Amino acid sequence: MSKSEKPESDQSMKSLVIAEKPSVARDLCKVLGGKFQKFDEYFENDDYVVTSAVGHIVELFMPEDYDKRDAFWRLANLPLVPPTFKLKPIERTNTKYKAVKKLINRKDIETVINACDAGREGELIFSYLYKLTKCKKPVKRLWMLSMTPASIKAAFKSMRSGEEMQNLADAAQSRSEADWLIGINCTRGVTKRLYGSRAGNVAGVGRVQTPTLAIVVKREREIEQFKPREYWRIVVDFEISNGGYQGIYQKPKFKKSDDEHDRKDRLWTEEESKVVMEALSRNSEANVSEEKKKSTQAAARLYDLTTLQREANNRFGFSARRTLQIAQALYEKHKMITYPRTDSKALPEDYPETCRTTLENLEGRLEGVARKVVSNNWIVPSNKRVFNNKQISDHFAIIPTPEKTKKLSEDEEKIFDMIARRFIAIFYPSAEFAITTRINEVESHIFKTDGKVLVAPGWMEVYGKSSSDAPTEGTLPALSDADGNPAQSKIESSESIHEETRPPARYTEATLLSAMEGAGKFVEDDELAEAMKDSGLGTPATRATIIERLIAERYMERDHRNLAPTPKAENLLDFLAAIKAEALTKPGLTGEWEQKLHQIENGELDRKSFMKEIVTMTEEIVNGIKSYEETEDDLDPTDFVSPYSGEALFESLRSYRTLDNSFAVYKIIGNRKMSKEEIRELLEKKRVGPLDDFRSKNGKHYSAYLNLDDETKRIKFDFGNGDSDSGAIDFTQLTPFAKCPRTGGDVYETANAYVVRVVEGEEEKTPIRVSRKILDREIPQEQMIKLLETGKTDLLQKFWSKRTKRPFDAYLVLKDSGQTKFEFPPRAPKKAAKKVAKKVAKKVAKKKAS
């Protein structure tokens, strides 16, 4: 008999239990007891048949499923609003759907038990499956927040009826259908308006992905528009009998303001700096006072998925998707951690004993610190930072399981170590510090120094810290009687440091995940912000997918660890603003939906009313997309003029053009946003370049010149002919910018390289060729000239290693062959070595003086 066939048995009625994941189905069988027989797709005993989905196995119809003609995207067909939303099996999991449907239809199945995850998405998975199979059998809901045996048994004793869960199912279905309406209609409509019939161009729009993109674009525009401001910081070296330390000038009566760049140690005029420096020059000593206090720091809370992804990105450079893949492998394949797709940082209140067992089973380098928790009875069931049912939704925090350690890959080991150490550390006592704040005063000017010493490592012991090897960098030399009463310090030296404010940093995956999680702070309406407090943009399970989708759709690209929006992203947001559909770009839409979905869950709002609002909103946005036409009122005047007619050019949504549109220069050329300076040069000289960072359709970067063709009055790419090492270069199209002191030849800049050209009679040679960009680092013209003159550039920063994916600094050195090589600067001595050297120098100086 095949394992897929059911054995002959009596026809006593049974309950079919449908879990969300196979691992949960196995756990349920262990708790239900009775001898379960295993088949290909399910387990069975005398009372229960237990099976599972694999997440979502049913989805909504696509437009072409209703009408084959809608496989073609046409503006005229929009909006697409099905009178009734229909369901179909997801193609890749169709086998699983058929297996579950077969079990549902078995004659001996009397009741269907929904054991999917406790939450909106779990309810949707079951609800769609139940509807598509046209099942009419009674439903019971198993609502589990914990997977301990005791919790599972309690859940089976207090199952809810299907009717009790209807509001939650309505909310889940409403969210799914609303996302379909907005996503399908807006994506098709915007794509047709922006790209027409050009193949391969899709302008994806969605309730979550578009506001996420807007956050990244807003930051990029802040960086572009940023104007640096000068400021001065004053640093003084003080000396007492036990050693030296630095003090930083502090402005008097400083108060935080709306100026995000203002700091207590920043002076905004050089005159203010000079006043303080003059006071220092008049004095050789400062009055010293200090305040000492103790401080404690508790361990970080347990990981939810977003926090794990953020920290893995910061520590190892892992993308959010990569971290999730590793965590899924640790959960599914190795069974060494709990379910990772969670937004909770707490554990169920019945979990202390499971935690004890887990700690006892941890092995290897974690064994000692884990056993210490158990032997000291540091697991406190009343600790609400750890055990708190109110802070658990569908799932609880990510922790190790009691399973024995398996052989892991290097990346799996890194993520497991993060999770295990965070789990162990949460039970340890707080770390204790002694903090000293020392004030040096010179003519009422205050200079502050902070010292921090680890007294008791507490949870830091889990990460290898101990009080015996406490860091000394933050340790201040102690005051003594030799410094007088009141104490005084000597002013050894002082410096006024001139600096500039910096623009905000681009988002990394870590900071973007934080922004998505805390998107409520971008919402002005307090009620909507409150509705988003526990959700943000997307869910922990979907945020990584959203980021990857934005990259796949060419809205963003990875610039090493940073995320940079592409011109396509700015184009989309500008168009949505033009058609007055900014709601799609703001997190407030998600907040509004969450608020209403919660009302549906609580029975305070009718599902039909919500969906009617969504249909109306969809129709209004689609009408705006279809009816938008740019008029003269939408055009902004510029100081650009047409090189052919002399007519003024106006700035439109996508170009700089004449009023009659007889001549235009697009803002985005070759998937690259043109600056106004580049447009101006192109119009005046009919040629600009070489320019970098054009992008092909597959995302590959390339360089080129842009020429205005007099015949067509259109822009053409010029790749400088010699685009490869062996390519022939038409030097008649290029102008040399320097003479080569080595060869006497002319130095040219092509689209991709600096080339030295030597002409001897009728023979032409190019003995030296240096790429304009090496390992993502542009080589400026002045450095090329220095390379030819001296054989070596200045120290150039931020070459990016292909092997380590990290930046490095190096000199470029010109070899006799005309090729270049790297020369690395000597490594800087470690800080400890510097301090020792400084102390030795001072001792020598004192001996000489005596």
Side-chain angles (χ1 to χ4, degrees):
M1 179 180 64
S2 166
K3 277 203 165 188
S4 62
E5 294 175 0
K6 181 181 177 299
E8 290 295 325
S9 63
D10 59 29
Q11 288 299 307
S12 57
M13 303 309 285
K14 300 181 180 185
S15 294
L16 172 63
V17 182
I18 302 176
E20 188 169 318
K21 298 172 286 291
S23 60
V24 175
R26 290 191 292 271
D27 289 340
L28 295 178
C29 290
K30 290 175 187 174
V31 173
L32 286 170
K35 189 175 181 181
F36 273 93
Q37 191 171 354
K38 185 180 184 304
F39 298 90
D40 286 347
E41 298 288 348
Y42 64 97
F43 304 88
E44 183 170 358
N45 70 4
D46 293 340
D47 301 306
Y48 295 98
V49 176
V50 181
T51 189
S52 73
V54 280
H56 286 275
I57 59 176
V58 173
E59 64 183 353
L60 293 170
F61 263 32
M62 292 299 287
E64 56 268 29
D65 295 319
Y66 295 100
D67 188 333
K68 288 181 180 180
R69 290 173 293 183
D70 285 329
F72 300 98
W73 293 19
R74 296 186 181 91
L75 268 177
N77 292 0
L78 301 181
L80 297 166
V81 182
T84 304
F85 279 92
K86 296 181 181 180
L87 300 167
K88 65 177 182 178
I90 296 174
E91 189 175 343
R92 68 177 182 277
T93 54
N94 194 28
T95 301
K96 171 61 76 172
Y97 168 75
K98 288 178 179 177
V100 177
K101 180 181 179 181
K102 188 175 181 181
L103 293 173
I104 288 174
N105 290 333
R106 267 176 46 172
K107 291 181 181 179
D108 61 338
I109 296 298
E110 182 179 34
T111 304
V112 181
I113 298 174
N114 175 7
C116 292
D117 294 344
R120 194 190 293 161
E121 282 308 294
E123 202 64 31
L124 186 67
I125 288 169
F126 178 84
S127 175
Y128 275 177
L129 175 62
Y130 187 82
K131 283 185 177 181
L132 186 57
T133 58
K134 299 179 180 177
C135 182
K136 303 296 182 186
K137 294 174 182 177
V139 173
K140 291 184 178 178
R141 184 52 155 117
L142 191 70
W143 193 263
M144 301 173 295
L145 296 179
S146 166
M147 291 302 296
T148 61
S151 179
I152 293 171
K153 286 176 183 176
F156 269 102
K157 287 179 181 176
S158 57
M159 287 192 288
R160 306 175 186 182
S161 69
E163 289 75 18
E164 287 179 79
M165 307 309 298
Q166 190 57 51
N167 288 342
L168 182 61
D170 284 349
Q173 191 174 333
S174 298
R175 194 279 307 155
S176 176
E177 293 175 3
D179 276 338
W180 190 100
L181 286 168
I182 293 294
I184 294 289
N185 283 286
C186 295
T187 294
R188 291 188 173 206
V190 173
T191 297
K192 294 303 292 182
R193 284 309 306 265
L194 287 182
Y195 303 116
S197 300
R198 280 179 279 167
N201 289 289
V202 175
V205 178
R207 173 182 60 96
V208 175
Q209 78 170 48
T210 306
T212 300
L213 183 63
I215 290 171
V216 178
V217 171
K218 181 174 182 287
R219 173 65 57 86
E220 192 71 13
R221 287 176 173 171
E222 287 171 356
I223 294 168
E224 289 173 358
Q225 296 164 11
F226 182 81
K227 290 182 173 56
R229 294 162 59 193
E230 294 181 309
Y231 67 89
W232 287 259
R233 291 172 66 249
I234 299 174
V235 180
V236 182
D237 286 318
F238 295 102
E239 186 79 23
I240 56 176
S241 56
N242 283 326
Y245 56 92
Q246 283 191 334
I248 310 295
Y249 174 73
Q250 308 287 294
K251 287 189 292 196
K253 299 178 182 177
F254 172 77
K255 288 183 180 179
K256 283 189 175 181
S257 65
D258 293 335
D259 183 352
E260 62 177 315
H261 294 288
D262 201 10
R263 306 279 190 280
K264 199 169 186 178
D265 63 347
R266 291 182 177 180
L267 295 169
W268 295 107
T269 65
E270 191 173 9
E271 287 69 28
E272 292 174 287
S273 165
K274 286 178 178 177
V275 168
V276 180
M277 291 298 290
E278 286 168 4
L280 288 165
S281 67
R282 291 193 296 266
N283 292 270
S284 60
E285 293 183 328
N287 295 322
V288 184
S289 62
E290 66 181 20
E291 178 185 287
K292 293 186 176 181
K293 63 180 180 180
K294 290 185 177 179
S295 173
T296 60
Q297 181 184 341
R301 295 193 68 189
L302 297 170
Y303 283 120
D304 62 3
L305 178 58
T306 301
T307 310
L308 180 67
Q309 289 170 319
R310 278 204 313 259
E311 292 199 13
N313 182 254
N314 283 330
R315 288 182 60 182
F316 309 120
F318 291 166
S319 68
R321 180 176 67 172
R322 177 65 181 144
T323 300
L324 180 55
Q325 286 172 341
I326 296 167
Q328 279 294 127
L330 289 169
Y331 168 67
E332 292 177 359
K333 179 181 174 183
H334 302 296
K335 299 179 176 51
M336 286 178 61
I337 65 168
T338 55
Y339 186 66
R341 296 171 183 257
T342 175
D343 61 356
S344 175
K345 297 181 179 180
L347 296 175
E349 291 170 12
D350 62 357
Y351 239 62
E353 197 53 44
T354 302
C355 291
R356 177 182 292 274
T357 305
T358 301
L359 289 162
E360 288 173 341
N361 286 355
L362 285 170
E363 298 172 333
R365 61 181 178 276
L366 299 174
E367 185 173 336
V369 287
R371 298 292 190 281
K372 196 168 181 178
V373 175
V374 178
S375 60
N376 286 297
N377 291 316
W378 282 340
I379 300 175
V380 181
S382 60
N383 184 350
K384 293 298 181 185
R385 287 189 81 233
V386 184
F387 305 106
N388 195 332
N389 285 349
K390 291 181 180 178
Q391 294 181 6
I392 296 170
S393 52
D394 302 23
H395 307 283
F396 52 81
I398 307 170
I399 62 170
T401 65
E403 291 281 328
K404 294 291 183 182
T405 304
K406 310 284 197 317
K407 184 175 175 61
L408 303 176
S409 70
E410 183 181 346
D411 287 354
E412 289 170 343
E413 181 61 46
K414 287 176 179 176
I415 297 298
F416 179 75
D417 187 77
M418 287 176 64
I419 294 166
R421 288 188 193 275
R422 181 71 71 99
F423 171 65
I424 299 166
I426 196 76
F427 299 110
Y428 268 68
S430 294
E432 296 178 14
F433 298 90
I435 296 177
T436 301
T437 301
R438 184 170 294 170
I439 300 297
N440 290 266
E441 188 172 351
V442 180
E443 292 187 15
S444 78
H445 298 299
I446 300 299
F447 301 86
K448 180 182 173 185
T449 311
D450 288 318
K452 186 176 181 181
V453 179
L454 182 64
V455 176
W459 61 269
M460 288 186 171
E461 182 183 339
V462 179
Y463 294 89
K465 298 281 187 183
S466 68
S467 52
S468 61
D469 64 6
T472 55
E473 278 186 45
T475 306
L476 282 168
L479 292 170
S480 67
D481 293 340
D483 299 312
N485 188 12
Q488 288 194 316
S489 63
K490 292 179 182 177
I491 300 172
E492 292 282 303
S493 63
S494 59
E495 184 181 8
S496 177
I497 302 172
H498 179 208
E499 296 179 349
E500 287 186 338
T501 55
R502 295 181 181 180
R506 274 178 171 169
Y507 282 104
T508 62
E509 288 202 41
T511 54
L512 183 56
L513 286 167
S514 294
M516 293 173 76
E517 185 178 39
K521 70 184 178 185
F522 298 110
V523 178
E524 295 178 6
D525 187 289
D526 290 340
E527 286 188 20
L528 300 186
E530 180 66 22
M532 291 186 71
K533 185 177 68 176
D534 297 323
S535 57
L537 283 171
T539 68
T542 62
R543 285 177 192 137
T545 305
I546 291 161
I547 292 172
E548 292 298 331
R549 186 185 302 146
L550 288 170
I551 293 170
E553 292 184 7
R554 310 279 183 220
Y555 282 129
M556 295 192 314
E557 59 184 9
R558 289 188 175 93
D559 181 8
H560 307 297
R561 289 196 180 185
N562 295 327
L563 294 171
T566 64
K568 178 181 177 182
E570 297 191 50
N571 208 12
L572 170 69
L573 295 179
D574 288 343
F575 179 70
L576 291 175
I579 64 169
K580 296 181 172 50
E582 293 103 324
L584 291 172
T585 70
K586 294 178 180 176
L589 179 62
T590 287
E592 186 179 336
W593 283 22
E594 282 300 324
Q595 186 183 52
K596 290 179 178 178
L597 291 172
H598 283 309
Q599 290 174 343
I600 294 172
E601 287 178 22
N602 297 330
E604 298 164 2
L605 178 66
D606 179 55
R607 163 173 148 70
K608 288 182 180 178
S609 300
F610 174 76
M611 290 309 302
K612 189 175 180 181
E613 287 181 27
I614 300 299
V615 169
T616 301
M617 177 185 179
T618 303
E619 290 171 343
E620 288 174 353
I621 294 172
V622 168
N623 287 337
I625 293 170
K626 292 167 78 171
S627 62
Y628 175 72
E629 291 295 338
E630 206 166 41
T631 66
E632 287 189 19
D633 292 338
D634 298 315
L635 303 178
D636 293 324
T638 73
D639 59 353
F640 296 152
V641 295
S642 165
Y644 299 104
S645 66
E647 292 177 76
L649 300 187
F650 293 81
E651 183 176 2
S652 70
L653 184 64
R654 298 176 63 187
S655 67
Y656 298 99
R657 65 179 179 84
T658 55
L659 280 177
D660 62 1
N661 212 12
S662 59
F663 174 78
V665 175
Y666 286 98
K667 295 179 180 179
I668 296 171
I669 301 173
N671 294 311
R672 179 190 186 277
K673 183 180 179 182
M674 300 289 291
S675 71
K676 288 189 175 181
E677 291 74 21
E678 291 165 349
I679 295 287
R680 189 179 307 280
E681 184 174 344
L682 179 64
L683 292 170
E684 292 175 355
K685 299 180 180 179
K686 297 186 180 178
R687 180 176 173 87
V688 65
L691 303 178
D692 299 320
D693 294 329
F694 293 105
R695 299 174 185 87
S696 65
K697 286 186 178 179
N698 62 9
K700 186 177 179 181
H701 288 242
Y702 62 93
S703 302
Y705 291 91
L706 294 180
N707 295 333
L708 261 177
D709 182 68
D710 289 336
E711 188 177 335
T712 62
K713 298 180 183 179
R714 291 187 177 182
I715 292 168
K716 289 187 176 181
F717 285 96
D718 176 1
F719 297 101
N721 299 318
D723 200 44
S724 65
D725 289 334
S726 59
I729 301 171
D730 180 6
F731 287 104
T732 61
Q733 299 295 314
L734 302 172
T735 303
F737 66 87
K739 278 282 185 184
C740 174
R742 292 180 168 235
T743 64
D746 290 323
V747 187
Y748 293 84
E749 183 177 15
T750 72
N752 289 297
Y754 298 110
V755 180
V756 175
R757 180 199 187 206
V758 177
V759 180
E760 296 176 354
E762 294 185 2
E763 188 180 0
E764 178 182 278
K765 296 180 180 178
T766 53
I768 300 173
R769 184 187 189 280
V770 178
S771 294
R772 289 181 53 246
K773 186 179 280 190
I774 299 173
L775 293 182
D776 284 358
R777 209 286 182 200
E778 290 184 21
I779 311 301
Q781 272 193 13
E782 62 269 19
Q783 290 299 323
M784 179 61 190
I785 294 170
K786 185 160 190 175
L787 181 68
L788 294 172
E789 290 175 344
T790 67
K792 185 176 177 178
T793 66
D794 293 331
L795 182 64
L796 302 177
Q797 297 179 323
K798 285 198 174 179
F799 293 99
W800 285 85
S801 168
K802 290 182 178 179
R803 183 177 62 83
T804 65
K805 309 298 183 188
R806 291 179 178 275
F808 66 89
D809 303 340
Y811 302 93
L812 275 185
V813 176
L814 188 63
K815 297 190 291 185
D816 292 339
S817 64
Q819 303 298 308
T820 56
K821 68 177 182 178
F822 289 120
E823 182 181 297
F824 299 98
R827 288 190 178 181
K830 292 183 179 178
K831 289 184 179 179
K834 281 185 177 178
K835 288 194 171 184
V836 170
K838 196 173 180 181
K839 285 182 180 178
V840 170
K842 284 189 176 179
K843 283 183 180 178
V844 170
K846 283 182 180 178
K847 281 183 180 179
K848 285 182 178 178
S850 61

